[in-house]
Amino acid sequence: MGPFLQYTVIGLTVGSFYALVALGYTIVYGIIRLINFAQGDLSMVGAFIGWTLLVSLGLEHLPLFLAIVVAFVVPMLGTAIVNLGILQFAYKPLLNRSLLAILITALGMSLVLQNGSELIWGPAIEAYPPNLLPAEGMFLGPVHVTYVQIALVVVSLLLMGGLVAFVQGTTLGTAMRALAVDHDAARLMGINVNQVIRLAFVLGAMLAAASGVMLGLYYVQIQFTMGFLLGLRAFTAAVLGGIGNIPGAMAGGMLIGLLEAYTTGYLSGKWEDVIVFGVLITVLVVKPTGLFGERVAERM
Amino acid sequence: MAVLEVRDLHVFYGNIEALKGISLQADAGQIVAILGGNGAGKTTTLRTISGLLRPRSGSITCNGKSLVGLSAHGIVAMGISHVPEGRRIFNVLTVEENLNLGGYLIRSDRAMVQQRKGAIYALFPRLLERRMQLAGTLSGGEQQMLAIGRAIMSDPKVLMLDEPSLGLAPILARSVLRTVREIADRGTTVLLVEQNARQALTIAQRAYVIEVGRIVLEGEASELAKDERVQKAYLGGFEAVSSASPEP
């Protein structure tokens, strides 16, 4: 029982990172039916902006709380600007054309972000300050939980809670959900559709950037290629939960995190991708609408 | 003084000319009916006025201000509201959320949103009973009430309705049109596209008949109702229908 609970703690921590990235996929898909394959790479960009602040600019020497706030807020804003740029220059000209063209453009944007980051930050593996956060933790019965794990999960849950409150509780959030149903009807309500699309890209990028900084703090090592697998796993999470569905993305992220932790724990880390992508294939074959995706209406 | 004025409107779908020079006008508080068969260009006319389609040429003005070239959301802000064909309510949102979106442009003024919702619930008490229900679970008549309620949340100067009675039982259709009359009596100008020409002509002051993208007849609604061509084309065979659903 001990190891099982230990793997569960690890799975939920990692799962919350996947959930944040999966939310980005799902918000953007919900509104313009695009799988934004650059989502995982946005996370990587966020991780590098955070690293630049903490290590290159020496913010790690500031008081801990201040350093952490800056290391989250600035990458979230910076990555949002990057994603708006991608929307404006790469996706917008294609929005009313073929979905295939825009999908391939998204794959291209993923490569642009990777190679752009390699140019800026270099191909080497960089390290987040390993002693920034306290390494110790506490025992909950037989399970050891570090304070970092608790903090990262709490921050993820706050971000997700904030997103849900925004989407469910505000008129602007309602407009986002309306756009998932009918763009023309939304226009007739006086909704500026382009503005709401931009908002979705900003939110998606901010969540991805936050997850990138968390990955850096948790695993310490970051590299320009880290967004690729992260993106694919988060995509699997979004599909598993039912793409376009916000609670689905959160649940899917947690499930993928748990699956990965149990696989590593009971089998071997080498089997992680086999199992995770096995799940993707199974969901696509057996229940393509995912666990929560019963209300997906195709507009294509 | 015309609240809404359309002059020589030409609209194309690709190379096909859907509207070949439509001109019409509506005065304050008037109900203006647009009649015509399927494919005549009635829906195209409304979609062009509300900015969902761009005209190749022609002018559209509201109280003298041009609407051509404005975005659809900008046109809503100018005071034109459009209840589209097929209602197009947001099925996965609640009745209340649909109305909130109708008040999207005034969303920062919560008191005003509440006040207008109150007025709409007074007009359609059925919507109040079902306010927390998903709009997709409403009956056809209730969905039409919601579509109209949502459109008047923005307190428009001009309300455009595309086939509001389509698919409704005759008694519901009449009740919807009675509500339209009520809305117009409060000073809103109504542009009404209807299949049910006879009932449309009963509540309208003016009417236009469109055929293949052109206005072929226009005039006082009461005059058009007596016009031989209108009777033949749009009111013909109505006896059979009216005997099945007698006027109240």
Side-chain angles (χ1 to χ4, degrees):
Chain A
M1 197 61 190
F4 176 78
L5 292 174
Q6 195 67 57
Y7 302 147
T8 306
V9 169
I10 296 170
L12 290 177
T13 312
V14 182
S16 64
F17 308 153
Y18 293 150
L20 290 175
V21 183
L23 281 170
Y25 275 110
T26 249
I27 296 171
V28 169
Y29 181 85
I31 289 188
I32 57 172
R33 296 294 183 268
L34 162 70
I35 309 286
N36 184 11
F37 278 114
Q39 203 66 41
D41 302 290
L42 289 169
S43 187
M44 174 271 297
V45 170
F48 269 97
I49 297 177
W51 174 84
T52 307
L53 290 166
L54 286 172
V55 177
S56 302
L57 301 177
L59 256 61
E60 56 181 313
H61 305 299
L62 286 180
L64 181 63
F65 182 73
L66 191 63
I68 291 294
V69 169
V70 175
F72 272 98
V73 172
V74 175
M76 285 167 81
L77 295 178
T79 310
I81 292 169
V82 171
N83 210 19
L84 281 179
I86 293 178
L87 170 65
Q88 199 63 31
F89 295 109
Y91 298 156
K92 194 123 176 279
L94 299 170
L95 265 184
N96 297 317
R97 311 254 174 96
S98 127
L99 272 163
L100 192 60
I102 195 167
L103 196 69
I104 289 170
T105 309
L107 283 170
M109 284 303 112
S110 166
L111 293 175
V112 166
L113 287 181
Q114 283 181 35
N115 290 298
S117 299
E118 189 187 3
L119 273 179
I120 297 171
W121 288 289
I125 294 177
E126 303 292 354
Y128 263 58
N131 302 319
L132 188 66
L133 297 170
E136 64 268 29
M138 58 185 175
F139 277 93
L140 294 172
V143 189
H144 185 252
V145 187
T146 67
Y147 294 128
V148 175
Q149 284 174 329
I150 296 172
L152 294 182
V153 171
V154 167
V155 172
S156 305
L157 290 177
L158 283 176
L159 287 170
M160 291 186 231
L163 179 76
V164 171
F166 173 76
V167 170
Q168 296 292 331
T170 68
T171 305
L172 202 53
T174 312
M176 280 180 67
R177 285 184 288 147
L179 234 63
V181 187
D182 190 334
H183 279 217
D184 271 355
R187 284 190 178 92
L188 294 180
M189 300 297 102
I191 296 170
N192 181 341
V193 168
N194 287 328
Q195 201 176 50
V196 179
I197 293 174
R198 284 197 290 275
L199 176 68
F201 272 72
V202 165
L203 290 175
M206 286 170 83
L207 295 173
S211 81
V213 174
M214 290 187 199
L215 280 167
L217 291 170
Y218 190 65
Y219 288 125
V220 178
Q221 294 186 342
I222 58 169
Q223 199 186 6
F224 74 96
T225 52
M226 67 186 266
F228 177 70
L229 261 187
L230 171 67
L232 280 183
R233 287 181 186 169
F235 172 64
T236 306
V239 171
L240 175 61
I243 193 144
N245 184 299
I246 286 176
M250 299 182 199
M254 294 297 179
L255 284 173
I256 292 296
L258 288 171
L259 198 63
E260 186 187 299
Y262 296 141
T263 309
T264 308
Y266 291 114
L267 288 170
S268 144
K270 289 176 186 161
W271 285 91
E272 268 177 33
D273 290 332
V274 178
I275 303 282
V276 168
F277 298 125
V279 166
L280 176 61
I281 293 166
T282 312
V283 173
L284 287 176
V285 171
V286 178
K287 195 168 188 304
T289 55
L291 297 176
F292 295 73
E294 71 282 352
R295 70 167 183 79
V296 170
E298 281 305 326
R299 278 197 303 119
M300 281 181 265
Chain B
M1 163 73 192
V3 173
L4 182 73
E5 189 162 13
V6 174
R7 259 178 212 273
D8 199 24
L9 202 60
H10 291 262
V11 177
F12 287 73
Y13 291 112
N15 288 324
I16 299 159
E17 190 172 16
L19 299 186
K20 302 165 182 168
I22 296 271
S23 296
L24 53 85
Q25 69 169 61
D27 296 343
Q30 261 192 344
I31 297 182
V32 174
I34 302 179
L35 311 177
N38 282 334
K42 300 171 307 223
T43 296
T44 303
T45 304
L46 296 196
R47 286 174 64 83
T48 309
I49 295 172
S50 63
L52 293 176
L53 294 172
R54 301 239 172 246
R56 174 106 24 124
S57 65
S59 75
I60 306 168
T61 55
C62 176
N63 285 332
K65 282 177 224 144
S66 173
L67 302 181
V68 176
L70 290 183
S71 58
H73 60 89
I75 288 172
V76 178
M78 297 283 284
I80 314 264
S81 214
H82 179 182
V83 179
E85 198 177 11
R87 318 190 236 284
R88 307 278 283 266
I89 54 163
F90 301 112
N91 284 329
V92 299
L93 305 182
T94 64
V95 168
E96 179 105 351
E97 286 172 332
N98 268 276
L99 292 181
N100 286 340
L101 286 180
Y104 184 80
L105 291 171
I106 52 160
R107 65 188 182 281
S108 51
D109 188 347
R110 291 187 179 204
M112 179 73 89
V113 171
Q114 287 306 326
Q115 187 195 326
R116 295 216 181 133
K117 266 193 288 193
I120 286 158
Y121 286 140
L123 192 62
F124 302 113
R126 287 298 288 273
L127 295 183
L128 181 61
E129 288 167 34
R130 300 177 187 274
R131 54 188 280 266
M132 300 317 279
Q133 220 168 298
L134 291 185
T137 64
L138 300 182
S139 73
E142 292 162 347
Q143 291 192 5
Q144 190 60 55
M145 293 174 197
L146 179 57
I148 294 174
R150 191 178 65 169
I152 58 178
M153 273 297 286
S154 58
D155 193 21
K157 294 191 200 84
V158 180
L159 176 65
M160 303 196 291
L161 299 156
D162 199 342
E163 307 272 12
S165 71
L166 191 69
L168 299 185
I171 189 160
L172 271 173
R174 269 196 298 276
S175 135
V176 162
L177 291 177
R178 222 173 5 244
T179 311
V180 170
R181 175 77 265 169
E182 238 175 274
I183 293 168
D185 287 344
R186 295 173 193 182
T188 308
T189 304
V190 175
L191 204 54
L192 174 68
V193 162
E194 253 301 338
Q195 288 273 336
N196 189 337
R198 184 159 132 149
Q199 282 187 359
L201 289 175
T202 333
I203 65 164
Q205 281 90 26
R206 284 182 64 74
Y208 294 85
V209 177
I210 304 188
E211 271 169 23
V212 283
R214 282 197 182 84
I215 305 255
V216 291
L217 273 176
E218 62 175 281
E220 298 294 312
S222 50
E223 297 299 313
L224 282 186
K226 290 182 215 141
D227 189 285
E228 205 176 291
R229 287 164 293 177
V230 173
Q231 288 200 333
K232 211 163 159 190
Y234 303 106
L235 304 177
F238 194 78
E239 290 312 311
V241 179
S242 73
S243 62
S245 57
E247 290 287 336

